Amino acid sequence: MKGKPTSFDIAYQAGVSQSTVSRALRGSPLVSAETRKRIQAIAKQLNYKVDKNASNLRRQHSVTLALLLFEDATSDAALVNPFFLSMLGSITRACAREGYDLLISFQQLSDDWHADFQDSHKADGLILLGYGDFEVARHKLEKLVEQGTQFVYWGAVEPGQPGISVGCDNVQGGRAVTEHLLSLGRRRIAFVGDASPHCPEFFDRYRGHCEALRAAGVPVVPALQVEAMDSSEKLGHAAVRMLQERGQKFDAVFAASDLLAIGAMRALEESGLRVPEDVAVVGFDDIPVAAFASPPLTTVQQDTRAAGEVLVQRLLQLIRGEPSESTMLPARVIVRRSCGQPGDTDATRMAQLRRAS
Amino acid sequence: MKGKPTSFDIAYQAGVSQSTVSRALRGSPLVSAETRKRIQAIAKQLNYKVDKNASNLRRQHSVTLALLLFEDATSDAALVNPFFLSMLGSITRACAREGYDLLISFQQLSDDWHADFQDSHKADGLILLGYGDFEVARHKLEKLVEQGTQFVYWGAVEPGQPGISVGCDNVQGGRAVTEHLLSLGRRRIAFVGDASPHCPEFFDRYRGHCEALRAAGVPVVPALQVEAMDSSEKLGHAAVRMLQERGQKFDAVFAASDLLAIGAMRALEESGLRVPEDVAVVGFDDIPVAAFASPPLTTVQQDTRAAGEVLVQRLLQLIRGEPSESTMLPARVIVRRSCGQPGDTDATRMAQLRRAS
DNA sequence: CTGAAAGCGCTTACAG
DNA sequence: CTGAAAGCGCTTACAG
């Protein structure tokens, strides 16, 4: 046998036409069971695999999805957002289950958003993770819609957004974790995270936060909110310093992400403040290290497993021309020690590790 | 414009033949600069992208690599080994730089090892991460070699192994971290991890460990070695219990992976033993949570960034028919508090976080 | 149920 | 430097 066998080789051995081989292997009902069986046996024996490129070319689709992870050009080249990473598993598996292959690519925020993948027929649709400044991203997303690109993205879920998005219920998450802080007696809660349309997810978390405060009759103090557009330990650290420079007193910090929260805790520690005794700290995301922070971080868990599933489902609906819609997933407060209430540390830590590994 | 433009559309607009369009866009020197320029401009204006499937079919290769992550069938479906995950970034980037696309797929250890990707022309070569029991994997790897599959894998680097592997210098890493423990006065060091050809990487770490002991004139006590074939917190926990049941005294634990080490620390804690005062603990891998463990875990860092680069380079050499060879990367001890020597916690923690995010 | 034939959109010898 | 033509390996109307 020279080179890879083709459907003609199978046909020859089976004594049928190449068309019949193709039909049999694609599961067409137009082939008799007996013929199909014979063909399959020979294909298996010859280790024949349908040539994807030929099949794709002919059928005009690739049965492949592309996962585009956007990252800041300024950040170190080896970084991958741990939150997105945790979605990777479920996305991959959902694709596999649906018979789709998954291309993965890291993109610079500044680049053209590669409709390239679809234009070149490398992928039938795109999953976008991480868009940076949403006001900038919005235009790019709108262009994608215009071009007829099939895509879904993880982010805020709000009316008027371009395309289909999947995200967690940030308002509810922000509300729930703030209520928890309030129930522990905290009243001056700082919020670390941008509260503007540039960061709709952080903004929604802030909205939920404010809702909870108002419902409890606690005043919303603008000076207790500090901008942080990105999610990093450094920005969280800087935010606490900023609050202190403002001379604001606070007994809790709600950081819009775990990375911000961890940086905030470090800054507090350095100022001689104890977490949670002096200042309670909560984050958002429940990234793997959250359970290992000192103290272990109370946070809001987004269901990354469901997230991956839903992203793939929505994208496939788009590709198949079925009705599809943006979807919000529930958020869940995970209580650990950083908020001042001894949580079930051991159990959550085990669960975390399991998710991490 | 109906549907995606083809090279014929470009040719028509440029007033040249389709062949010339193809040549111009592929950068053939057979096209005049002026013609090329005109064609490129029109292609750009029409948002033309070469159809990958057609191009691949014609050229008989896919300019795509497949990353296969193997996992235990028994483990929860959402798990991804954090160590492999940390390699993903550099693999992706190395592929992008070389102009290759990257398919990613999770495979069950028990499945056929999908030469499928290559047979179907989905990918030109494979990168395998995680093989489980190497004695079992060896046969599969040998079969891949027989079939002429182009692949590289992460693992031990030893003579007589099938195919091309890339791994860290486990012997050196095991030696170095043991020397460190010895330098801190520890003498009865337990080793948690399988020391057999089933786990060549763990075995090499054990070898390095024994070398260091012998060089220091410290006896190697077989009863201080506990099997753990896999890397999980649970097995690390069980290993410490086993040591205690054996009635062995030990003042340090060298776990063959961070996950094992973290489980071991928890078991020690539960027995009322203090880490590092009573028992020093060190791990291997330097996964993101290692810096956040309590106490922060001393471990051996594998250079995941270089790992990804080298894996891709070696695979491309194979694909291009160039000489290639298995490669060993250096390992580096990261000192944190779990070994009893106050490490530069803050600096390493920051570095860790940066790698984690 | 099966076969002959067209065609998916390129790339690349071949001829000029 | 350019064009006409073959062909990569399939899938799928079309005809039987």
Side-chain angles (χ1 to χ4, degrees):
Chain A
M1 189 74 29
K2 59 312 71 177
K4 306 238 180 256
T6 71
S7 52
F8 284 92
D9 298 320
I10 313 295
Y12 178 78
Q13 291 220 12
V16 296
S17 74
Q18 181 268 339
S19 333
T20 300
V21 170
S22 177
R23 284 196 196 93
L25 263 21
R26 301 214 79 230
S28 158
L30 295 176
V31 181
S32 76
E34 188 259 329
T35 311
R36 177 193 315 282
K37 202 140 297 170
R38 198 166 75 249
I39 290 171
Q40 283 171 336
I42 296 172
K44 175 143 201 187
Q45 189 215 121
L46 261 53
N47 198 28
Y48 169 76
K49 294 279 161 21
V50 173
D51 186 299
K52 251 272 199 165
N53 294 128
S55 173
N56 288 348
L57 173 58
R58 185 49 233 254
R59 306 182 66 204
Q60 291 293 306
H61 65 235
S62 62
V63 205
T64 299
L65 267 27
L67 176 63
L68 270 40
L69 283 151
F70 289 88
E71 51 188 22
D72 205 326
T74 60
S75 69
D76 182 304
L79 305 187
V80 185
N81 184 315
F83 177 70
F84 293 139
L85 231 32
S86 60
M87 259 190 253
L88 183 64
S90 59
I91 290 177
T92 314
R93 265 170 276 258
C95 283
R97 207 189 41 238
E98 301 288 339
Y100 275 72
D101 284 321
L102 215 220
L103 279 170
I104 179 165
S105 171
F106 289 30
Q107 311 267 323
Q108 296 301 317
L109 236 21
S110 52
D111 285 358
D112 274 350
W113 286 31
H114 291 221
D116 184 292
F117 279 93
Q118 196 177 332
D119 293 339
S120 64
H121 284 278
K122 284 182 193 174
D124 297 333
L126 312 177
I127 298 174
L128 311 177
L129 255 37
Y131 44 67
D133 183 334
F134 190 71
E135 293 291 277
V136 176
R138 177 188 285 276
H139 295 290
K140 301 187 175 178
L141 294 172
E142 276 160 359
K143 200 181 279 175
L144 287 185
V145 173
E146 244 168 63
Q147 289 172 180
T149 304
Q150 315 281 26
F151 72 97
V152 296
Y153 58 102
W154 177 261
V157 177
E158 265 153 51
Q161 281 187 163
I164 298 273
S165 65
V166 177
C168 96
D169 190 337
N170 292 298
V171 175
Q172 178 234 312
R175 194 193 307 122
V177 78
T178 302
E179 281 167 359
H180 184 71
L181 249 15
L182 289 168
S183 78
L184 297 172
R186 309 289 170 162
R187 285 296 174 273
R188 291 191 57 86
I189 307 174
F191 181 88
V192 174
D194 200 277
S196 82
H198 295 281
C199 288
E201 293 177 86
F202 285 6
F203 202 4
D204 282 349
R205 290 167 199 179
Y206 184 63
R207 281 205 191 94
H209 170 68
C210 296
E211 278 181 23
L213 290 180
R214 281 194 210 99
V218 175
V220 173
V221 182
L224 282 175
Q225 187 256 326
V226 191
E227 301 299 308
M229 282 228 21
D230 207 2
S231 181
S232 76
E233 200 185 356
K234 209 166 114 190
L235 287 176
H237 188 280
V240 163
R241 289 280 168 273
M242 170 70 85
L243 282 166
Q244 292 172 330
E245 277 167 30
R246 286 187 193 164
Q248 287 296 321
K249 285 275 163 225
F250 52 95
D251 54 13
V253 173
F254 171 15
S257 84
D258 288 347
L259 251 21
L260 289 171
I262 289 169
M265 290 205 291
R266 204 162 45 76
L268 293 168
E269 225 178 82
E270 289 172 13
S271 318
L273 292 165
R274 293 163 307 161
V275 177
E277 292 81 357
D278 301 318
V279 180
V281 175
V282 301
F284 209 106
D285 286 347
D286 198 25
I287 59 175
V289 293
F292 286 86
S294 343
L297 186 65
T298 292
T299 188
V300 181
Q301 185 179 76
Q302 312 195 55
D303 187 343
T304 53
R305 190 167 325 179
E309 291 287 336
V310 175
L311 282 165
V312 171
Q313 288 312 330
R314 292 292 171 271
L315 181 53
L316 290 182
Q317 288 172 337
L318 241 35
I319 290 170
R320 293 174 182 142
E322 298 165 8
S324 181
E325 53 177 0
S326 292
T327 306
M328 214 181 252
L329 269 19
R332 197 173 126 237
V333 175
I334 305 286
V335 176
R336 299 201 185 92
R337 282 201 283 109
S338 71
C339 65
Q341 175 183 293
D344 185 2
T345 314
D346 211 58
T348 52
R349 186 172 158 195
M350 282 292 285
Q352 271 315 103
L353 237 198
R354 241 172 283 120
R355 294 183 62 229
S357 42
Chain B
M1 188 73 30
K2 57 321 70 186
K4 307 237 179 256
T6 71
S7 52
F8 284 92
D9 299 319
I10 313 295
Y12 178 77
Q13 291 220 13
V16 295
S17 74
Q18 180 268 339
S19 330
T20 300
V21 171
S22 177
R23 285 196 195 93
L25 264 20
R26 300 213 80 232
S28 159
L30 296 176
V31 182
S32 76
E34 188 258 328
T35 310
R36 179 194 313 285
K37 205 141 294 171
R38 197 166 75 250
I39 289 172
Q40 283 171 336
I42 295 173
K44 176 145 199 183
Q45 189 216 122
L46 262 53
N47 198 29
Y48 169 76
K49 294 280 161 21
V50 173
D51 186 299
K52 249 273 198 165
N53 294 129
S55 173
N56 289 348
L57 173 59
R58 185 48 235 250
R59 306 182 65 204
Q60 292 294 306
H61 64 235
S62 62
V63 204
T64 299
L65 267 26
L67 175 62
L68 270 42
L69 282 151
F70 289 88
E71 51 188 21
D72 205 325
T74 60
S75 69
D76 183 302
L79 306 187
V80 185
N81 185 315
F83 176 69
F84 292 139
L85 231 31
S86 59
M87 260 190 253
L88 183 64
S90 58
I91 291 177
T92 314
R93 266 170 276 257
C95 283
R97 205 188 43 237
E98 301 288 339
Y100 275 72
D101 285 320
L102 215 220
L103 279 170
I104 179 164
S105 169
F106 290 31
Q107 310 267 323
Q108 295 301 317
L109 235 23
S110 51
D111 285 357
D112 274 350
W113 287 31
H114 292 221
D116 185 290
F117 279 92
Q118 196 177 333
D119 293 339
S120 64
H121 285 276
K122 284 183 196 174
D124 296 333
L126 312 177
I127 299 175
L128 311 177
L129 255 35
Y131 44 67
D133 182 333
F134 189 71
E135 292 291 277
V136 176
R138 176 188 285 275
H139 294 291
K140 301 187 177 179
L141 294 172
E142 276 161 358
K143 201 181 278 176
L144 287 185
V145 173
E146 244 168 63
Q147 290 171 180
T149 303
Q150 314 282 26
F151 71 97
V152 296
Y153 57 101
W154 176 260
V157 177
E158 265 153 50
Q161 280 187 162
I164 299 274
S165 65
V166 176
C168 96
D169 191 336
N170 293 297
V171 175
Q172 176 233 312
R175 194 193 308 120
V177 78
T178 302
E179 282 167 358
H180 184 71
L181 249 15
L182 290 167
S183 77
L184 297 172
R186 310 287 170 161
R187 285 298 175 272
R188 292 191 56 87
I189 307 174
F191 181 87
V192 174
D194 200 277
S196 81
H198 295 281
C199 289
E201 293 177 86
F202 285 6
F203 201 4
D204 281 350
R205 291 167 198 178
Y206 184 63
R207 282 206 191 93
H209 169 69
C210 295
E211 278 180 23
L213 292 179
R214 282 193 210 98
V218 175
V220 173
V221 182
L224 280 176
Q225 187 257 326
V226 191
E227 302 299 309
M229 282 229 20
D230 207 0
S231 181
S232 76
E233 202 184 356
K234 207 166 116 189
L235 287 176
H237 189 280
V240 164
R241 289 280 167 274
M242 170 70 85
L243 281 166
Q244 293 171 328
E245 275 167 32
R246 286 185 192 165
Q248 287 296 323
K249 286 274 163 225
F250 52 95
D251 54 14
V253 173
F254 172 14
S257 85
D258 288 346
L259 251 20
L260 289 170
I262 289 169
M265 289 204 292
R266 204 162 44 76
L268 292 167
E269 225 177 81
E270 287 172 13
S271 318
L273 292 165
R274 293 162 308 161
V275 177
E277 294 80 356
D278 302 319
V279 180
V281 175
V282 301
F284 209 105
D285 284 347
D286 198 24
I287 59 175
V289 294
F292 287 87
S294 340
L297 186 65
T298 292
T299 187
V300 181
Q301 186 179 77
Q302 311 193 56
D303 187 342
T304 53
R305 190 165 328 178
E309 290 288 335
V310 175
L311 281 166
V312 171
Q313 287 312 330
R314 291 292 171 273
L315 181 52
L316 290 183
Q317 288 172 337
L318 241 34
I319 290 171
R320 294 172 181 143
E322 297 165 10
S324 181
E325 53 178 1
S326 292
T327 306
M328 213 180 254
L329 269 19
R332 196 174 128 239
V333 176
I334 305 286
V335 176
R336 298 201 185 93
R337 283 200 284 109
S338 71
C339 65
Q341 175 184 293
D344 185 2
T345 314
D346 211 59
T348 53
R349 187 173 157 194
M350 281 293 284
Q352 270 315 104
L353 237 200
R354 240 172 283 119
R355 293 183 62 228
S357 44

